Amino acid sequence: MMEPILEGAVEVHSYLGPGDERTLADDVLDGLTRPLKELPPKHLYDARGSQLFDAICELPEYYPTRTERLILETHADDIVARTGAVELVELGSGSATKTRVLLDAMAAAGTLGRYVPVDVSATTVHSVAELFCDEYRGLSVYGVVGDFERHLAHLPPPAGPRLVPFLGGTIGNFPPGSRRRFLRGLGKVLGSGGHLLLGTDLVKDPRVIEAAYNDSAGVTAQFNLNLLHVINRELGANFDVDAFEHVAFFDRQREWIEMRLLATEPQRVRLEALDLEVEFAAREELRTEISAKFTIERLRGDLAAAGLDLVELYTDPDELFAVSLARCA
Ligand code: SAH
Ligand code: AVI
C-alpha cells in the first residue's frame, strides 16, 4: 500500500528514549569488561561527535566524502531516471550534505516527494529536517531518530518507488558477517521496486587510507577521544581523557581500518551509572571502530549473499570509492 505524501510537512519521530540512549550502558558494560576492550562506533556521534565528523569530511586527507560527492554529481540523473524514485530513505544520514545532489536531481526530474533521514544523532536529524523543508519547496520530511540496526520497522510505508542511500562507507563499520545480515534485512525497507544506493570505500595504497584516519590537524583524534567524553557525561564516568591517545592503522589481512584509544598509563575508571570499575593497563587499547575497505569482488559477493542484484556500479576515475545501485534479486 502506498502512503500519500503531505506536501511540505515536517515530522520527526524518536525511538531513542532516555533509558535507551543509543544502548550506551549495555554496550559499555559488555565492551569494557572483555579481555579485548571494544565499543560500537555509533556512540561516537553525540552532537559534538557529529560536528567533528563533519569537520573530518572537509579535511584534505579524508578523500571519501569529496570522492563520493563527485560520483553522485556525475551520476545522480542516471540514478533518478533508473529508479524513478519519489522518496529517499537515508540510513545514517548525518548532515546529509551529499544527499542534496540526489534531491536536486529528483527535483529536476519532477519526482521529489519525501525525504526520510534515519540517524542516532538527534541533533542532525532535527536540523536536516528543518533545513531541507525550507530549501526544497513542497518536500515532505519524515525524520527518524533511531538505530538503523533496531528501528527500521518504524519507517513509514513507501510513498512510491523508494531509493535508500546508505552513504559515506558506513556499511564498512559492520564486521563481515553482520554486514551481510544487515544488508539482507534491507529487503523489507526497499519494498517492491525499491533500490539501495550503497557507498563503499575501496581498497587502495594503505598509506592513503592511513593518512585519512591520522590527519595532520588532529580532528580524527578529537573525534575518537570524544567517545570518552560521551561516557563520562552519560554514565558518570571519570576517564582521564588526556591519558589516552588516538591510534588508527590499516589491517592488511582483513582490509579494514581500526580506530583505537590507547591508555598511555595504567588507569582505573569508575562508571557511576553502572556501579562498575574498569582497569586499563599501560598501553592497553580500546577498539572504537572498524571501517572496511572493499574490492569490487567483495562488494558483489556481499550484495549477492544478501539477496541483492547489482544494477550499476559507479566509481571515480582513480577508483578510490564506489557507489552501488542494487535491488532485491
Ligand atoms: N551519511 C553521512 C554521514 C556518515 S557518518 C555521510 O556520508 O557523510 C555515519 C552516520 O551514521 C552518523 O551520522 C551516525 O550518527 C550514523 N550512525 C552510526 N551508527 C548508526 C546506527 N546504528 N543507527 C543509526 N545511525 C547511525
Ligand atoms: C562514517 N564512517 C564510515 C567513517 C569512516 O570513514 O569510517 C567514520 C570515520 N572514522 C574516522 N574518520 C571517519
Side-chain angles (χ1 to χ4, degrees):
M1 202 188 57
M2 299 282 180
E3 197 183 65
I5 300 179
L6 271 178
E7 256 190 44
V10 189
E11 48 189 306
V12 175
H13 300 261
S14 179
Y15 299 97
L16 297 175
D20 184 40
E21 194 56 31
R22 301 187 298 276
T23 65
L24 183 67
D26 286 348
D27 291 342
V28 166
L29 181 59
D30 188 36
L32 294 193
T33 54
R34 290 185 198 168
L36 288 171
K37 296 185 173 63
E38 174 166 31
L39 285 172
K42 66 182 171 187
H43 301 301
L44 293 162
Y45 299 92
D46 67 339
R48 179 160 179 265
S50 297
Q51 280 175 353
L52 286 165
F53 177 73
D54 286 345
I56 288 173
C57 293
E58 303 288 324
L59 293 168
E61 297 96 334
Y62 195 72
Y63 60 85
T65 307
R66 61 173 177 273
T67 312
E68 190 178 39
R69 181 180 300 115
L70 176 74
I71 298 171
L72 293 174
E73 283 168 354
T74 312
H75 300 289
D77 291 342
D78 184 52
I79 294 165
V80 168
R82 278 171 182 256
T83 59
V86 303
E87 72 171 355
L88 291 185
V89 175
E90 182 168 20
L91 308 178
S93 41
S95 57
T97 50
K98 289 165 290 182
T99 312
R100 289 167 193 273
V101 179
L102 296 168
L103 294 173
D104 290 344
M106 289 164 76
T111 60
L112 182 59
R114 181 165 65 176
Y115 178 51
V116 183
V118 181
D119 205 292
V120 280
S121 168
T123 49
T124 59
V125 174
H126 282 276
S127 65
V128 158
E130 294 296 327
L131 197 66
F132 283 10
C133 196
D134 286 349
E135 271 180 40
Y136 291 91
R137 241 164 52 91
L139 177 71
S140 144
V141 182
Y142 187 109
V144 174
V145 178
D147 186 331
F148 52 54
E149 291 194 72
R150 295 186 299 137
H151 298 130
L152 294 183
H154 297 294
L155 288 171
R162 183 176 259 185
L163 180 61
V164 179
F166 190 21
L167 302 178
T170 306
I171 187 70
N173 293 153
F174 287 90
S178 32
R179 180 197 305 151
R180 290 184 172 193
R181 184 163 12 96
F182 178 76
L183 288 173
R184 202 172 303 124
L186 290 185
K188 279 201 205 83
V189 175
L190 299 183
S192 70
H195 289 77
L196 172 68
L197 191 66
L198 183 68
T200 46
D201 197 6
L202 297 177
V203 172
K204 60 185 67 64
D205 183 342
R207 287 170 299 186
V208 174
I209 302 177
E210 286 184 343
Y213 293 81
N214 289 292
D215 64 278
S216 55
V219 184
T220 310
Q222 290 307 310
F223 173 66
N224 195 5
L225 288 161
N226 181 55
L227 180 64
L228 301 180
H229 290 296
V230 170
I231 300 173
N232 280 350
R233 185 185 64 235
E234 294 189 19
L235 299 178
N238 63 352
F239 274 101
D240 176 1
V241 179
D242 292 336
F244 282 85
E245 272 174 15
H246 164 73
V247 174
F249 64 93
F250 186 62
D251 181 327
R252 286 167 168 71
Q253 206 188 342
R254 299 188 174 88
E255 297 188 312
W256 67 43
I257 268 274
E258 290 206 8
M259 281 211 314
R260 297 180 175 199
L261 289 166
L262 178 147
T264 52
E265 55 193 55
Q267 263 199 62
R268 171 179 297 222
V269 182
R270 166 114 193 115
L271 298 107
E272 280 304 332
L274 299 175
D275 193 17
L276 177 73
E277 295 211 341
V278 174
E279 305 263 0
F280 281 81
R283 318 282 312 158
E284 185 173 348
E285 293 178 340
L286 158 65
R287 186 162 74 172
T288 53
E289 183 182 66
I290 63 163
S291 188
K293 309 302 163 195
F294 291 76
T295 57
I296 307 289
E297 296 68 46
R298 177 164 328 125
L299 199 47
R300 284 182 193 282
D302 282 346
L303 290 171
L308 295 166
D309 268 349
L310 185 61
V311 176
E312 190 64 71
L313 188 132
Y314 307 100
T315 185
D316 55 290
D318 298 322
E319 299 202 343
L320 297 176
F321 201 92
V323 173
S324 309
L325 185 65
R327 65 174 167 228
C328 287

